[in-house]
Amino acid sequence: MPPSPTSSASPAGPVPAGAPSAGAGAPAGGGKPRRRREGLLPYVLLVPAVLVLAAALGYPLVRQAVMSFQEYGLAQQFGQPPQWVGLDNYVELVTDSYLWTVIVRSVVFCLANAAITMVLGVALAVLMTLTGTGPRLTLQIGLLLAWAMPHLASLTVWQWLFEAQYGVINWVLVRAGFEQFAGHSWLIDQLSFFVVATVIVVWMSVPFVAFAVYAGLTQVPGELHEAAAIDGASAWQRFRAITMPLVRPVLLIVGLLQIIWDLKVFTQIFVLQDAGGVTAETNLIGTYIYRLGLGEGEFGMAAAASWFMLLLTVTLSLYYVRVLVREEEL
Amino acid sequence: MSTLTPSTTATGDRPRGPRSAPPRPKLRRSSPRRRRRWFGALAVAIAVVWAFPVYWMLNSSFLPFNRIRSPEPTFFPVGGTVAAYERVFESNFLSALRVSATVTLITVAAALLFAFLAALALSRFRFRGRRSFLLAVLIIQMIPAEGLFISQFKLLEGWQLLNSVVGLSLLYVAAVVPFTIWMLRGFVNGVPRELEEAALVDGCSRVQAFFRITLPLLAPGLVASGVYAFLQAWNEFTLALVVMTRPDNMTLPLWLKTFTEANRASDWAGIMAGSVVIAIPVMIFFLFVQHRMTSGLVSGAVKG
């Protein structure tokens, strides 16, 4: 904390350490604020976390802003000083139709994946409430196994499942009568590449949604349902009038998280691209930035492109934070 | 924080009414039992589908060459072999394991310590800027690595920390700390301040009260946050890909990707064995703390 220098009498000014900081502190929380002679202590406790965040996130953010206004390519990698080019990087990106292709593709991919994940996750959560203990535990264990898998291991397994010649998925499809899948390479065609990516992303993300929503559903007090049932409400009416309003905050937050996560999806696409996808046809924002910066050495351009990514996700995140803050007292 | 409140504690008078115990209303006995059974079958079927890739990984890892490369898949590894696992350990798996273990250890320790201090400040004190800091933490937590790794790469390059365990750990700690703060703050909030104050009244010093009362009650929260940090650092791929450019500095996920690319044409059993070796320890860990993970993750959303 900056040791507030001159604040002897000014009523609204920064409050010196130790003095009761009622005006500023009280509206923050709902609890009983404790005001002792604590002064600097809370700020000292925050120092390590703040330092790490400043070094590893804050400084790069500034650096990224600066770099996006510079010509920073391969020549600069080898020691030439970067040149200021003003908005050139941005102009070049915005007028480049490929960036827009990538952005549209990312948004579509994100919305499709988030929607499928939410629908499946909520359906499975509801299913858990409808079955007995045995089947519910079985389902939960199945989901947990998928959730617990490290992403890279999952991606590797799915590559093997979708393998053209010996993969079990093609085998099943051929067995089911779809002869055209004999030896079918899933990753070469753009659409089927994204089908594979979607299957993997959904498979990974549904468990979290299902568990979170199920936790929300079980927090709905049974007495409410009981009372409504006695009053003659049908199951559907009870679901709509009691369950939904109580679970909606969870749905909103989980849904927002899905959108944010699916927008920045990188690992799945990157690994699948290296496993046989056509890069230019399958880039999403994340992989596009990577290929541009670390692949081609166009750091200035990549820094500028990163801002599109940041802008998109941070805007969504601000909304998410607003929802979260409304739910929870800080 | 439903995790912290024991459900059946003594609240003076013992529960008398019959309605305190049964969680589910027994009223819908009228609805057909057959439908319930049908739902049960559906749930089990979905469980099988969802778990299949994990089973397939295990199954394939035990198969010899001639059975993995055959037109008819083998569904049970009867008469299997562990030769694939030997091939995994013959590669540079162990060096990747060492890198991953070091990075993870540093990340967990640093993130827990830093986040714990911050959570104490945020939960137990009222100070100027507290609310803004909390909001900032929430927003920072959402910054995607994918939007920042270009300049993080340049940063570490400038500090000569590319390909170093320290550099990668620094990025990991920063990535994990915001959520850890958020999670731990919830747990600290769950410890009633009155307990501490009672200890103070009974003659404990503030430090004693903290170590004897607060810290033990926080153990579950510390474990959950630690496991979260562990899983993040152990599984992370993007930043590792960006920072660890040399083959002898690979973390386990990078190793698995390289190993897969090298053996894709010939040795899927080996690749699956590699996946198993990476996945199983994580999965066991995860399953042990899953309950706490879920309630921790949801605690932002559901007020217990």
Side-chain angles (χ1 to χ4, degrees):
Chain A
M1 170 173 128
S4 48
T6 57
S7 62
S8 47
S10 62
V15 187
S21 61
K32 299 145 276 179
R34 183 228 306 271
R35 284 179 228 99
R36 298 196 173 183
R37 304 195 165 274
E38 278 149 354
L40 276 174
L41 186 52
Y43 297 98
V44 173
L45 292 175
L46 290 179
V47 163
V50 170
L51 275 184
V52 169
L53 291 176
L57 294 175
Y59 179 59
L61 262 178
V62 176
R63 183 91 193 258
Q64 184 148 295
V66 170
M67 210 154 60
S68 72
F69 295 113
Q70 289 174 335
E71 164 76 40
Y72 207 120
L74 279 179
Q76 281 69 33
Q77 272 302 85
F78 291 106
Q80 277 191 34
Q83 281 182 341
W84 290 94
V85 292
L87 286 171
D88 278 9
N89 287 328
Y90 290 96
V91 172
E92 198 173 326
L93 278 175
V94 171
T95 51
D96 176 8
S97 64
Y98 185 64
L99 174 78
W100 296 108
T101 316
V102 168
I103 287 184
V104 169
R105 199 185 282 156
S106 302
V107 171
V108 171
F109 180 83
C110 155
L111 292 180
N113 277 272
I116 299 173
T117 307
M118 285 304 288
V119 169
L120 277 177
V122 173
L124 293 189
V126 173
L127 184 62
M128 285 182 205
T129 65
L130 295 178
T131 57
T133 315
R136 187 180 68 238
L137 278 180
T138 316
L139 178 56
Q140 285 178 335
I141 290 171
L143 292 177
L144 266 179
L145 287 174
W147 190 9
M149 279 277 276
H151 281 191
L152 247 287
S154 322
L155 276 164
T156 313
V157 176
W158 278 102
Q159 283 179 52
W160 169 226
L161 291 168
F162 275 110
E163 212 256 349
Q165 241 186 315
Y166 304 109
V168 72
I169 289 180
N170 279 352
W171 180 82
V172 168
L173 286 171
V174 170
R175 270 296 184 91
F178 301 99
E179 293 292 335
Q180 69 269 31
F181 284 104
H184 175 73
S185 309
W186 284 86
L187 297 177
I188 289 183
D189 175 57
Q190 188 188 28
L191 188 64
S192 98
F193 177 96
F194 281 115
V195 168
V196 174
T198 302
V199 167
I200 299 178
V201 170
V202 168
W203 179 79
M204 287 174 177
S205 334
V206 159
F208 167 63
V209 178
F211 278 100
V213 175
Y214 178 69
L217 285 173
T218 50
Q219 300 225 338
V220 176
E223 291 82 21
L224 282 180
H225 273 278
E226 218 168 316
I230 289 169
D231 288 347
S234 71
W236 172 245
Q237 279 174 323
R238 272 178 281 150
F239 180 76
R240 275 209 33 207
I242 298 171
T243 312
M244 269 316 275
L246 286 169
V247 176
R248 217 179 36 214
V250 186
L251 287 182
L252 187 57
I253 283 167
V254 173
L256 272 170
L257 277 176
Q258 286 307 319
I259 292 181
I260 295 166
W261 287 339
D262 288 345
L263 198 57
K264 67 191 181 93
V265 62
F266 174 85
T267 307
Q268 292 88 335
I269 303 296
F270 182 83
V271 170
L272 289 180
Q273 282 181 339
D274 279 8
V278 182
T279 312
E281 280 180 8
T282 53
N283 269 337
L284 300 185
I285 307 184
T287 50
Y288 173 63
I289 295 171
Y290 180 88
R291 309 269 181 208
L292 194 62
L294 294 157
E296 298 170 28
E298 291 285 352
F299 284 94
M301 292 274 282
S306 298
W307 283 107
F308 287 87
M309 169 77 124
L310 282 178
L311 224 63
L312 268 171
T313 45
V314 170
T315 314
L316 282 167
S317 307
L318 284 177
Y319 181 61
Y320 160 81
V321 168
R322 249 190 61 191
V323 174
L324 204 60
V325 167
R326 216 184 298 143
E327 290 303 318
E328 172 133 346
E329 54 195 54
L330 286 186
Chain B
M1 301 306 326
S2 51
T3 37
L4 287 176
T5 49
S7 50
T8 52
T9 35
T11 40
D13 54 341
R14 77 175 42 162
R16 289 170 119 243
R19 49 162 62 182
S20 59
R24 298 257 152 239
K26 299 244 163 89
L27 287 172
R28 37 185 219 182
R29 137 184 61 81
S30 56
S31 74
R33 191 168 289 171
R34 218 184 315 150
R35 196 167 59 181
R36 200 180 171 80
R37 206 170 297 159
W38 194 84
F39 279 134
L42 181 66
V44 172
I46 293 174
V48 169
V49 170
W50 229 268
F52 180 76
V54 181
Y55 171 73
W56 201 242
M57 167 179 82
L58 269 172
N59 176 42
S60 305
S61 72
F62 292 115
L63 294 181
F65 284 114
N66 60 339
R67 281 168 71 192
I68 205 157
R69 294 170 70 85
S70 88
E72 290 291 309
T74 309
F75 282 89
F76 301 100
V78 184
T81 133
V82 292
Y85 289 88
E86 286 163 16
R87 295 197 290 280
V88 165
F89 286 98
E90 280 158 17
S91 73
N92 49 354
F93 170 82
L94 287 176
S95 115
L97 177 68
R98 209 175 45 239
V99 174
S100 264
T102 322
V103 172
T104 305
L105 205 69
I106 298 179
T107 306
V108 171
L112 266 190
L113 179 63
F114 296 174
F116 180 57
L117 297 178
L120 273 186
L122 293 167
S123 174
R124 283 292 190 254
F125 298 91
R126 303 274 169 250
F127 56 92
R128 273 180 81 88
R130 175 179 159 279
R131 201 178 144 82
S132 339
F133 186 84
L134 269 173
L135 284 175
V137 162
L138 269 178
I139 295 166
I140 289 170
Q141 173 203 328
M142 306 306 296
I143 291 180
E146 291 75 9
L148 207 56
F149 60 54
I150 292 292
S151 50
Q152 285 178 325
F153 172 85
K154 300 303 292 182
L155 169 89
L156 292 189
E157 192 186 42
W159 290 352
Q160 311 288 326
L161 285 177
L162 276 189
N163 281 307
S164 95
V165 165
V166 176
L168 189 60
S169 307
L170 173 69
L171 298 192
Y172 281 180
V173 174
V176 169
V177 141
F179 186 80
T180 323
I181 291 179
W182 188 245
M183 204 162 158
L184 274 177
R185 190 193 72 103
F187 281 102
V188 179
N189 279 348
V191 177
R193 188 172 297 179
E194 287 74 18
L195 278 182
E196 250 173 82
E197 271 157 14
L200 290 181
V201 170
D202 287 349
C204 277
S205 72
R206 194 122 193 233
V207 177
Q208 278 176 321
F210 172 74
F211 278 104
R212 296 206 180 156
I213 309 291
T214 316
L215 197 58
L217 286 170
L218 281 178
L222 287 170
V223 170
S225 319
V227 169
Y228 168 80
F230 165 81
L231 292 173
Q232 292 299 309
W234 189 262
N235 294 339
E236 208 279 342
F237 176 76
T238 310
L239 289 171
L241 173 77
V242 169
V243 174
M244 299 306 213
T245 51
R246 277 208 305 261
D248 46 340
N249 283 319
M250 289 187 294
T251 60
L252 283 176
L254 288 179
W255 168 83
L256 182 60
K257 181 168 181 291
T258 326
F259 190 70
T260 307
E261 267 151 27
N263 298 300
R264 172 175 293 127
S266 56
D267 186 13
W268 276 105
I271 296 170
M272 287 303 108
S275 307
V276 171
V277 172
I278 289 181
I280 292 299
V282 178
M283 293 176 84
I284 291 172
F285 216 160
F286 189 92
L287 294 183
F288 266 117
V289 295
Q290 177 278 332
H291 177 66
R292 278 173 190 150
M293 281 289 287
T294 327
S295 53
L297 283 166
V298 180
S299 66
V302 182
K303 282 195 278 181

